[in-house]
Amino acid sequence: MRFVFLLCLLLPWVASAESLTETFCEKSKANAAEILPQLPIHKDAATIWLGYSAVMLDGTCHVRHEYLVRSEKVVDMTVKNSEGVTHEMVEGYLQSDEAREKVKAKMQEKLRQDLADMLVIPNVVYIARVQTSGPLQPFNVEIRTGTAM
């Protein structure tokens, strides 16, 4: 009996959370449709935004962005702004797991800032797929919001 009572109390909140997630996903789909014709978009000197999609599956909104990081631009900027650093040194470093993990962590931090509004919506999975054009290895960043219960 307690379970039924508890379920009756929580059901409107869960239904509300699902509605919020669905509304967010529908707005994300509309936003993607609006932005897609504008792609590719240069986000900064080395990063290009290539793709955007959103789909609702099993009560979860899956939002996906695709980026290209032009490693040669990262190398050029680093050499230009760092005394005594060569192209070979930077390229060698960018091939390492350490470099990939640092770039991934910075991107995840930036995305958390940029997507702060999304982080309060329950049941959203955000994936940024990052392709690269040079020594830096491709990677994905995944951010999951809390569930409705």
Side-chain angles (χ1 to χ4, degrees), residues 25-66:
C25 210
E26 288 303 316
K27 287 184 180 182
S28 294
K29 287 180 196 177
N31 193 24
E34 184 179 312
I35 289 173
L36 282 174
Q38 301 170 39
L39 295 177
I41 295 173
H42 293 261
K43 299 296 280 180
D44 58 38
T47 308
I48 302 171
W49 186 12
L50 300 174
Y52 178 15
S53 65
V55 64
M56 191 77 179
L57 294 171
D58 298 326
T60 299
C61 181
H62 298 265
V63 179
R64 182 176 173 148
H65 286 196
E66 293 189 40

Coordinates of all heavy atoms in Angstrom, one line a residue, residues 25-66:
C25 N 13.7 18.3 -26.2 CA 14.2 17.5 -27.4 C 13.6 18.1 -28.7 O 14.2 18.2 -29.7 CB 13.9 16.0 -27.2 SG 15.1 15.0 -28.1
E26 N 12.3 18.4 -28.6 CA 11.6 18.9 -29.8 C 12.2 20.3 -30.1 O 12.4 20.6 -31.3 CB 10.1 19.1 -29.5 CG 9.4 17.8 -29.5 CD 9.5 17.0 -30.8 OE1 9.5 17.6 -31.9 OE2 9.8 15.7 -30.8
K27 N 12.5 21.1 -29.1 CA 13.2 22.4 -29.4 C 14.6 22.2 -30.0 O 15.0 23.0 -30.8 CB 13.2 23.3 -28.1 CG 11.8 23.8 -27.8 CD 11.9 24.7 -26.5 CE 10.5 25.2 -26.2 NZ 10.5 26.2 -25.1
S28 N 15.3 21.2 -29.5 CA 16.6 20.9 -30.0 C 16.5 20.5 -31.4 O 17.4 20.9 -32.3 CB 17.3 19.8 -29.1 OG 17.5 20.3 -27.8
K29 N 15.5 19.6 -31.8 CA 15.4 19.2 -33.2 C 15.1 20.4 -34.1 O 15.7 20.5 -35.2 CB 14.2 18.2 -33.3 CG 14.5 16.9 -32.8 CD 13.2 16.0 -33.0 CE 13.2 14.8 -32.1 NZ 12.0 14.0 -32.3
A30 N 14.2 21.3 -33.6 CA 13.9 22.5 -34.4 C 15.1 23.4 -34.6 O 15.4 24.0 -35.6 CB 12.8 23.3 -33.7
N31 N 15.9 23.5 -33.5 CA 17.1 24.3 -33.5 C 18.1 23.7 -34.5 O 18.8 24.4 -35.3 CB 17.7 24.4 -32.1 CG 18.8 25.4 -32.0 OD1 18.9 26.4 -32.7 ND2 19.7 25.3 -31.0
A32 N 18.2 22.4 -34.5 CA 19.2 21.7 -35.4 C 18.7 22.0 -36.8 O 19.6 22.2 -37.7 CB 19.2 20.2 -35.1
A33 N 17.4 21.9 -37.1 CA 16.9 22.1 -38.5 C 17.3 23.5 -38.9 O 17.6 23.7 -40.1 CB 15.4 21.8 -38.5
E34 N 17.2 24.5 -38.0 CA 17.5 25.8 -38.4 C 19.0 26.1 -38.6 O 19.4 26.8 -39.5 CB 17.0 26.7 -37.2 CG 17.2 28.2 -37.5 CD 16.6 29.0 -36.3 OE1 15.5 28.8 -35.8 OE2 17.4 29.9 -35.8
I35 N 19.8 25.4 -37.8 CA 21.3 25.6 -37.9 C 22.0 24.8 -39.0 O 22.9 25.3 -39.6 CB 21.9 25.3 -36.5 CG1 21.5 26.3 -35.5 CG2 23.4 25.1 -36.6 CD1 22.0 26.0 -34.1
L36 N 21.4 23.6 -39.3 CA 22.1 22.8 -40.3 C 22.4 23.5 -41.6 O 23.5 23.3 -42.1 CB 21.2 21.5 -40.6 CG 21.3 20.4 -39.5 CD1 20.4 19.3 -39.8 CD2 22.7 19.9 -39.4
P37 N 21.6 24.3 -42.2 CA 22.0 25.0 -43.4 C 23.2 25.9 -43.3 O 23.8 26.2 -44.3 CB 20.7 25.7 -43.8 CG 19.6 25.1 -43.1 CD 20.2 24.6 -41.8
Q38 N 23.4 26.3 -42.0 CA 24.5 27.3 -41.8 C 25.9 26.6 -41.6 O 26.9 27.2 -41.6 CB 24.2 28.1 -40.6 CG 23.0 28.9 -40.7 CD 22.6 29.6 -39.3 OE1 23.5 30.0 -38.6 NE2 21.3 29.6 -39.0
L39 N 25.8 25.3 -41.4 CA 27.1 24.5 -41.1 C 27.8 24.3 -42.4 O 27.3 24.2 -43.5 CB 26.7 23.1 -40.5 CG 26.1 23.2 -39.1 CD1 25.7 21.8 -38.7 CD2 26.9 23.9 -38.1
P40 N 29.2 24.3 -42.3 CA 30.0 24.3 -41.1 C 30.2 25.7 -40.6 O 30.1 26.7 -41.3 CB 31.3 23.8 -41.7 CG 31.4 24.2 -43.1 CD 29.9 24.1 -43.6
I41 N 30.3 25.8 -39.3 CA 30.5 27.1 -38.6 C 31.8 27.0 -37.9 O 32.1 26.1 -37.1 CB 29.4 27.3 -37.5 CG1 28.0 27.5 -38.2 CG2 29.7 28.5 -36.7 CD1 26.8 27.5 -37.3
H42 N 32.7 28.0 -38.1 CA 34.0 28.1 -37.4 C 33.8 28.7 -36.0 O 33.3 29.8 -35.8 CB 34.9 29.1 -38.2 CG 35.3 28.5 -39.5 ND1 36.5 27.8 -39.7 CD2 34.6 28.4 -40.7 CE1 36.5 27.4 -41.0 NE2 35.4 27.7 -41.6
K43 N 34.0 27.8 -35.0 CA 33.8 28.2 -33.6 C 35.0 29.0 -33.1 O 34.9 29.9 -32.3 CB 33.7 26.9 -32.7 CG 32.5 26.1 -33.1 CD 31.2 26.8 -32.9 CE 30.8 26.8 -31.4 NZ 29.5 27.4 -31.1
D44 N 36.2 28.6 -33.6 CA 37.4 29.4 -33.2 C 38.4 29.1 -34.3 O 38.1 28.5 -35.3 CB 38.0 29.1 -31.8 CG 38.3 27.6 -31.6 OD1 38.8 27.0 -32.5 OD2 38.0 27.1 -30.5
A45 N 39.7 29.5 -34.1 CA 40.7 29.4 -35.2 C 41.0 27.9 -35.6 O 41.4 27.7 -36.7 CB 42.0 30.1 -34.8
A46 N 40.7 27.0 -34.7 CA 41.0 25.6 -35.0 C 39.8 24.7 -35.0 O 40.0 23.5 -35.3 CB 42.1 25.1 -33.9
T47 N 38.7 25.1 -34.6 CA 37.5 24.3 -34.4 C 36.4 24.6 -35.4 O 36.0 25.8 -35.4 CB 37.0 24.3 -33.0 OG1 38.1 24.1 -32.1 CG2 35.9 23.3 -32.7
I48 N 35.8 23.6 -36.0 CA 34.7 23.8 -37.0 C 33.6 22.9 -36.5 O 33.8 21.7 -36.2 CB 35.1 23.5 -38.4 CG1 36.3 24.3 -38.9 CG2 33.9 23.6 -39.3 CD1 36.9 23.9 -40.2
W49 N 32.4 23.5 -36.4 CA 31.2 22.7 -36.0 C 30.6 22.2 -37.3 O 30.2 22.9 -38.2 CB 30.2 23.7 -35.3 CG 29.0 23.1 -34.7 CD1 28.7 21.8 -34.6 CD2 27.8 23.8 -34.3 NE1 27.5 21.6 -34.0 CE2 26.9 22.8 -33.8 CE3 27.5 25.1 -34.2 CZ2 25.7 23.2 -33.3 CZ3 26.3 25.5 -33.7 CH2 25.4 24.5 -33.2
L50 N 30.5 20.8 -37.4 CA 30.1 20.2 -38.6 C 28.7 19.6 -38.6 O 28.0 19.5 -39.7 CB 31.0 19.0 -38.9 CG 32.5 19.3 -39.1 CD1 33.3 18.0 -39.2 CD2 32.7 20.2 -40.3
G51 N 28.1 19.3 -37.4 CA 26.8 18.6 -37.4 C 26.1 18.8 -36.1 O 26.7 19.0 -35.1
Y52 N 24.8 18.6 -36.2 CA 23.9 18.8 -35.0 C 22.7 17.9 -35.2 O 22.0 18.0 -36.3 CB 23.6 20.2 -34.8 CG 22.7 20.7 -33.7 CD1 22.4 19.8 -32.6 CD2 22.1 21.9 -33.7 CE1 21.6 20.3 -31.6 CE2 21.3 22.4 -32.7 CZ 21.0 21.5 -31.6 OH 20.2 22.0 -30.6
S53 N 22.3 17.1 -34.2 CA 21.1 16.4 -34.3 C 20.5 16.1 -32.9 O 21.3 16.2 -31.9 CB 21.3 15.0 -35.0 OG 22.1 14.2 -34.3
A54 N 19.2 15.8 -32.9 CA 18.6 15.5 -31.6 C 17.5 14.5 -31.9 O 16.8 14.6 -32.9 CB 18.0 16.8 -30.9
V55 N 17.4 13.5 -31.0 CA 16.4 12.5 -31.2 C 15.9 12.0 -29.8 O 16.8 11.8 -28.9 CB 16.9 11.3 -32.1 CG1 18.0 10.6 -31.5 CG2 15.8 10.3 -32.4
M56 N 14.7 11.7 -29.7 CA 14.1 11.2 -28.4 C 14.0 9.6 -28.6 O 13.3 9.1 -29.5 CB 12.7 11.8 -28.2 CG 12.1 11.5 -26.9 SD 12.9 12.6 -25.7 CE 12.1 12.1 -24.2
L57 N 14.6 8.9 -27.7 CA 14.6 7.4 -27.7 C 14.4 6.9 -26.2 O 15.2 7.3 -25.3 CB 15.9 6.9 -28.2 CG 16.3 7.1 -29.6 CD1 17.7 6.6 -29.9 CD2 15.3 6.3 -30.5
D58 N 13.4 6.2 -26.0 CA 13.1 5.5 -24.7 C 13.1 6.5 -23.6 O 13.7 6.2 -22.5 CB 14.1 4.4 -24.5 CG 14.0 3.3 -25.5 OD1 12.9 3.0 -26.0 OD2 15.0 2.7 -25.9
G59 N 12.5 7.7 -23.8 CA 12.4 8.7 -22.7 C 13.7 9.5 -22.5 O 13.7 10.3 -21.5
T60 N 14.7 9.3 -23.3 CA 15.9 10.1 -23.2 C 16.1 10.9 -24.5 O 16.0 10.4 -25.6 CB 17.1 9.2 -23.0 OG1 16.9 8.5 -21.8 CG2 18.4 10.0 -22.9
C61 N 16.5 12.2 -24.3 CA 16.8 13.0 -25.5 C 18.3 12.9 -25.8 O 19.2 13.1 -24.9 CB 16.5 14.5 -25.2 SG 16.8 15.5 -26.6
H62 N 18.7 12.4 -27.0 CA 20.1 12.3 -27.4 C 20.4 13.5 -28.3 O 19.8 13.6 -29.4 CB 20.3 11.0 -28.1 CG 20.0 9.8 -27.2 ND1 21.0 9.1 -26.5 CD2 18.8 9.2 -26.9 CE1 20.4 8.1 -25.8 NE2 19.1 8.1 -26.1
V63 N 21.3 14.3 -27.8 CA 21.7 15.5 -28.6 C 23.2 15.2 -29.0 O 24.0 14.8 -28.2 CB 21.7 16.8 -27.8 CG1 22.2 17.9 -28.6 CG2 20.3 17.0 -27.3
R64 N 23.5 15.4 -30.3 CA 24.8 15.1 -30.8 C 25.3 16.3 -31.7 O 24.6 16.8 -32.5 CB 24.7 13.8 -31.7 CG 26.1 13.4 -32.2 CD 25.9 12.1 -32.9 NE 27.1 11.8 -33.6 CZ 27.6 10.6 -33.8 NH1 26.9 9.6 -33.4 NH2 28.7 10.4 -34.4
H65 N 26.5 16.6 -31.4 CA 27.2 17.6 -32.2 C 28.5 17.0 -32.7 O 29.1 16.1 -32.1 CB 27.7 18.8 -31.3 CG 26.6 19.7 -31.0 ND1 26.8 21.0 -30.5 CD2 25.2 19.6 -31.0 CE1 25.6 21.6 -30.2 NE2 24.7 20.7 -30.5
E66 N 28.9 17.4 -33.9 CA 30.1 16.9 -34.5 C 31.0 18.1 -34.8 O 30.6 19.1 -35.3 CB 29.9 16.1 -35.8 CG 29.1 14.8 -35.5 CD 29.1 14.0 -36.8 OE1 30.0 13.9 -37.5 OE2 28.0 13.4 -37.0

